[in-house]
Amino acid sequence: VAAWRSDWGLGESGVNVYDTSYFSGGFSSLGSSDAVFLYDASDAFVTSATYPSHTDGFSNEWAADGTFLGSSVVGENGAYQSVNTSPDVGSPGYALEKEPCSSSGRMLYWTDKDSAKIQRMNLDSGCIEDILTSADGLVEPRGLAIDIAAEKMYWTDGQNRVIHRSELDGCGKVELVTGLSFPADMAIDTDSGKIYFADTGLSRIRRVNLDGSGPIEDIVTGVGQPYYIELDLTNSRIYWGDLQNTVIHRANLDGTGAEDFITGLNYVRDMRLDLTAGKIYWGDRGSSKIQRANLDGTGGIEDLYGPADGLDRPHGLLLDTAAGKIYWTDTVTSAVHRGNMDGSGAVEDLATGLNGPWALAMVTVTTVKYVDADATGDNNGATWDDAFNYLQDALSAARLGDEIWVAQGIYKPDRDTDNPAGTGSREATFRLKSGVRVKAGYAGYGEADPDERDIARFETILSGDLSGNDAEVGDPCDLLNETSRSENSYHVVGGSDVDETAVFDGFTITAGNANGTMDDYSNAGGGMFNNGHDSPCNPTVTRCKFVGNSAGELGGAMFNYGHGDGESNPTVTDCAFIGNASGYEGGGICNWEADGVVTNCTFTDNFAGSSGAGIDNIGSSPLVKRCTFTNNSASYGGGGMWNYDFESVPEVIECVFSGNSADEGGAILNHSNSIPTFIGCKFIGNSADSDGGAICNIYSSSPTLTNCLFTGNSAGARGGAVYGDRNSDSIFTNCTLSRNSAQDAGGGISSHFDTYPLLTNCILWGNHDSGGEDESAQIDGGVVTVAYSCIQGLLTFIGNNNTPADPLFRDDDGPDNIVGTSDDDLRLMQASPCIDHGNNAAIPAGVVTDLDGRPRSIDGDCNYRYTVDMGAYEFSFAYIGDFDYECDVDFADFAILAQAWLTEHGDAQWNPVCDIGIPNDSAVNMLDLEEFVENWLADIY
């Protein structure tokens, strides 16, 4: 190119560009002051250049692919002899076809009403292209909407008075609705199959079927000149602004309930809703501002951007909540702009030199990047044959909306194309990215079906063992002093400034060793460190295993750190934490001011030198649901979980704690004003060296426990199941505590030092302490209130609808005759005095099922009164097999059993009601059918 400029005397200033009207005619006699014009494949003008005289030689030529062809030759490739300055030869060269923009990643679409175009921009590459133009029949495109799932684009044309539809690339354009007045804007409801549009000329907001069929319905009429509209499908509302007035209006989707929502504005244009944050955003053309307000009407109007930021006439608006960005068009600056949704930072000019940019829409297209350590192709990530060999290369190349598929094998964070042998840097980590989903467990290169995914069979391991010399350990606590791990990664996986769209799915994460210092947090989160110190860090982690990771202080497997202006609230689902260790707190997970969600996870054989071997919550309130904590151990407290600080208010729902151990609180230690909630949890066979075999509550920690089961737990001192002291006032509702033991006092519950526990609808039976199984062995010490409960050896708590009668459990030590194992069955038999003898008013709001997931109040004695039972389980049948609770066993019940036949927990047709065999095995099979047949045609009448 430099030689070409030099040969034609153009210097370094570049070519001169002219409008198409500057020059016309052929290329013959090309020479001084003549010009060359360049057109793209659609015959649209791209650029032109005029040339000064040339006297010293011939021009140079290039082929379309950029290959240099030497000097121009008359008659070849369109070259002509110049008649003005002989012997010059001029060559117009080839018409270059403009490459279309890549449609992967984020694509921003807009209408340009003055240029009669619909255009789009690849936000990752900056490439802009025309999708449809006046050559396609566009006259004045305005409103724009995209159906991402169907890959369809809809738009209104004000002058044509039509609503159109096409593919996302502009192909297949059709007219859906014709003969309108002036369709200014539109929105679509794909679930209901409707197009809503503002017909400004008729003063109406209307709707029609998504395919254009059927009659047009008038939703709101007589509303001035509706100009822009927005749908709130969650709350069934439509919002609109008027061409001339100063109000944002809204109504129900059926047109009822119309109201002036926000007043006192200046010529409102487009508006958008952020329902998660409860905000509405809009452009105000009259005041040249982007503004927002709360949807609940509080807080007034907030200016985000204005004239000082270069705004003049903002029109179209778009929110990208995942990236925290707001986009708008401006018809005076003739550009598309972008800023932060909170109004901070400078305004970016994305697309300039437009004419009348109007409405905006966005599409995120997923591109897969492949990773396989064995691939031998180009290693550019495009296919399995050409897969990246290193995960770090794929993470570096990934953009918002991409997926990374990783084949079976071992990947280490210090390795990439530039460092195939590794750098040995302990700071190296696999860093998460917002908008990028990283998925493991593929068969990969060379396999019959490389896309086959099975995370167990095609295990994908992220290993912090940089030198490959880790020695095996028999006890997780030995990880903390194993010298072969001294060079391992501090954090195998790490993240900061990411949201929930940063996804890690299906990996085994192992051999992280965070044994550094607290100064840089290299002593926390050996497997994964989610750093939310100054910015949000809220990734999604699913179906991962954390095995054999360690930390000197906090979070052997995972440390979630929220502090200062940041937050760390990850969502952790279907994960396993096995054999991890920390020197201080949180062998599995340590949450420090981090309120995340942990669902369907297992914590097994983890160790903490102090507290919370499974999960440690310091000033944190996560939701922990359907998790199991098995055989975890802590030197001090909380073998399964430790909750510390008055800001620690976790919700623990449907979790199982078994075989965990600690000095205090074998399963749970609640410390210093923590107020957790436990619903539907089982505590089986946990142990404490001193107090609280299952739960220990100290220093004003007051949990609420509903539908919980405690059996086979033991304490070396007090509180075989639960211990509380120093103003720790627990609330027990519909809990069953049976066959727990304490060497000193209170085999069931022990309370001391100004504690005031409250028990309602509970059963305490067969608990044992040094005095036997009398009342004090069930409940010892404290100022206790007991009502509607079954207490063995009842003496002090006579009255308040309490009973000393045997609750008649089905099999309290199970078929194996061992207390504290999973086959123990504490459900009630038919003659139990606990059936229908509880207090409905005591059931906490929102609790509608029992520990089995059956309705919490069933008419178990068939007296037509639905009264809750005592204990964690509701007696569900007047006869076993009465699945519809109609007090008989007939063909209606058989139909329910048949529908669930041969299903297991997790299957689509699984029904826990049908799991009636002894023992319950989370499957509907012959055991259940045999029990059903025993009661066939049973009828109390």
Side-chain angles (χ1 to χ4, degrees), residues 100 163 180 550:
I163 296 175
L180 305 176
S550 57

Side-chain angles (χ1 to χ4, degrees), residues 501-815:
T501 63
V503 178
F504 240 54
D505 179 359
F507 290 91
T508 295
I509 300 166
T510 187
N513 182 26
N515 65 345
T517 68
M518 193 63 182
D519 294 339
D520 58 0
Y521 309 112
S522 59
N523 67 341
M528 185 174 193
F529 177 28
N530 295 311
N531 186 2
H533 184 275
D534 293 314
S535 60
C537 187
N538 306 321
T540 300
V541 184
T542 182
R543 299 197 301 169
C544 290
K545 287 197 302 183
F546 293 79
V547 182
N549 301 283
S550 57
E553 291 194 46
L554 307 170
M558 180 183 293
F559 180 46
N560 302 315
Y561 184 43
H563 190 66
D565 295 329
E567 61 181 27
S568 182
N569 301 321
T571 299
V572 184
T573 308
D574 297 320
C575 292
F577 297 79
I578 304 169
N580 304 281
S582 73
Y584 188 42
E585 296 174 357
I589 297 177
C590 181
N591 296 315
W592 195 331
E593 298 182 30
D595 304 332
V597 178
V598 183
T599 311
N600 294 343
C601 294
T602 61
F603 296 80
T604 308
D605 295 327
N606 299 288
F607 170 80
S610 178
S611 306
I615 297 180
D616 188 277
N617 298 313
I618 305 171
S620 302
S621 301
L623 170 62
V624 183
K625 189 171 184 178
R626 291 192 298 273
C627 295
T628 61
F629 298 77
T630 307
N631 297 337
N632 304 284
S633 62
S635 295
Y636 167 44
M641 180 183 294
W642 187 49
N643 302 309
Y644 176 81
D645 197 293
F646 68 93
E647 292 183 352
S648 185
V649 192
E651 292 183 76
V652 185
I653 300 175
E654 298 172 18
C655 292
V656 177
F657 297 81
S658 64
N660 303 286
S661 61
D663 182 60
E664 293 185 309
I668 308 285
L669 175 60
N670 299 312
H671 193 294
S672 299
N673 300 288
S674 66
I675 313 175
T677 298
F678 298 90
I679 300 176
C681 294
K682 297 179 181 179
F683 299 85
I684 303 171
N686 303 283
S687 63
D689 292 339
S690 57
D691 299 326
I695 298 179
C696 181
N697 306 305
I698 57 177
Y699 300 111
S700 302
S701 293
S702 302
T704 299
L705 303 101
T706 305
N707 292 347
C708 290
L709 170 69
F710 297 80
T711 183
N713 303 285
S714 62
R718 298 166 293 185
V722 181
Y723 175 77
D725 75 2
R726 296 175 179 84
N727 301 299
S728 296
D729 305 328
S730 303
I731 299 175
F732 299 84
T733 307
N734 283 104
C735 292
T736 297
L737 296 87
S738 174
R739 305 289 291 270
N740 304 285
S741 63
Q743 292 186 21
D744 186 358
I749 299 173
S750 181
S751 300
H752 295 272
F753 302 110
D754 299 320
T755 58
Y756 297 83
L758 170 64
L759 289 81
T760 312
N761 301 346
C762 292
I763 300 173
L764 288 91
W765 198 268
N767 301 292
H768 184 89
D769 66 7
S770 60
E773 294 186 356
D774 59 5
E775 184 189 66
S776 65
Q778 314 308 313
I779 308 175
D780 171 68
V783 181
V784 186
T785 300
V786 182
Y788 294 90
S789 293
C790 176
I791 310 295
Q792 185 174 0
L794 186 67
L795 182 63
T796 306
F797 304 110
I798 290 176
N800 288 338
N801 296 288
N802 297 315
T803 177
D806 189 329
L808 299 180
F809 296 128
R810 289 175 65 177
D811 190 351
D812 62 358
D813 59 4

Side-chain angles (χ1 to χ4, degrees), residues 306-505:
D309 302 297
L311 273 70
D312 199 311
R313 290 187 182 178
H315 273 263
L317 212 64
L318 177 72
L319 299 180
D320 182 358
T321 55
K325 297 292 185 181
I326 182 170
Y327 297 76
W328 66 91
T329 63
D330 193 308
T331 56
V332 172
T333 64
S334 299
V336 178
H337 305 279
R338 177 172 67 186
N340 294 325
M341 285 176 60
D342 61 2
S344 64
V347 171
E348 299 176 73
D349 300 332
L350 291 182
T352 59
L354 309 176
N355 285 305
W358 204 252
L360 290 164
M362 184 181 289
V363 175
T364 299
V365 180
T366 298
T367 297
V368 175
K369 298 186 184 302
Y370 299 87
V371 180
D372 192 321
D374 297 327
T376 59
D378 292 338
N379 301 133
N380 56 18
T383 65
W384 282 118
D385 289 346
D386 297 322
F388 290 117
N389 290 143
Y390 305 99
L391 176 55
Q392 289 290 24
D393 291 337
L395 288 168
S396 296
R399 299 292 181 265
L400 190 69
D402 286 349
E403 285 192 355
I404 298 174
W405 292 8
V406 189
Q408 56 187 314
I410 299 175
Y411 302 86
K412 299 186 179 184
D414 69 332
R415 300 185 182 185
D416 57 20
T417 297
D418 295 330
N419 301 282
T423 64
S425 172
R426 301 191 67 194
E427 287 78 15
T429 187
F430 292 113
R431 192 162 298 281
L432 305 174
K433 280 187 171 182
S434 290
V436 176
R437 180 183 291 269
V438 190
K439 300 165 63 176
Y442 289 94
Y445 172 73
E447 299 293 332
D449 180 6
D451 289 341
E452 183 182 1
R453 190 175 188 218
D454 186 325
I455 62 174
R457 188 153 58 101
F458 305 125
E459 187 176 20
T460 307
I461 300 171
L462 307 183
S463 174
D465 181 11
L466 304 183
S467 297
N469 66 341
D470 282 6
E472 294 292 331
V473 298
D475 190 324
C477 68
D478 293 337
L479 291 170
L480 301 171
N481 300 308
E482 175 51 52
T483 57
S484 65
R485 296 175 181 252
S486 61
E487 92 299 340
N488 289 23
S489 295
Y490 289 127
H491 322 292
V492 179
V493 181
S496 61
D497 196 20
V498 297
D499 60 23
E500 66 278 2
T501 63
V503 178
F504 240 54
D505 179 359

Side-chain angles (χ1 to χ4, degrees), residues 4 8 23 25-31 35-39 47 49 51 59-64 72-81 89-96:
W4 178 75
W8 284 96
F23 175 83
F27 283 110
S28 61
S29 304
L30 183 66
V36 173
F37 290 77
L38 181 64
Y39 294 80
T47 188
Y51 300 95
S59 65
N60 292 321
E61 254 182 330
W62 284 265
S72 299
V73 178
V74 175
E76 292 183 7
N77 300 322
Y80 293 91
Q81 176 73 53
V89 174
S91 173
Y94 293 91
L96 301 179

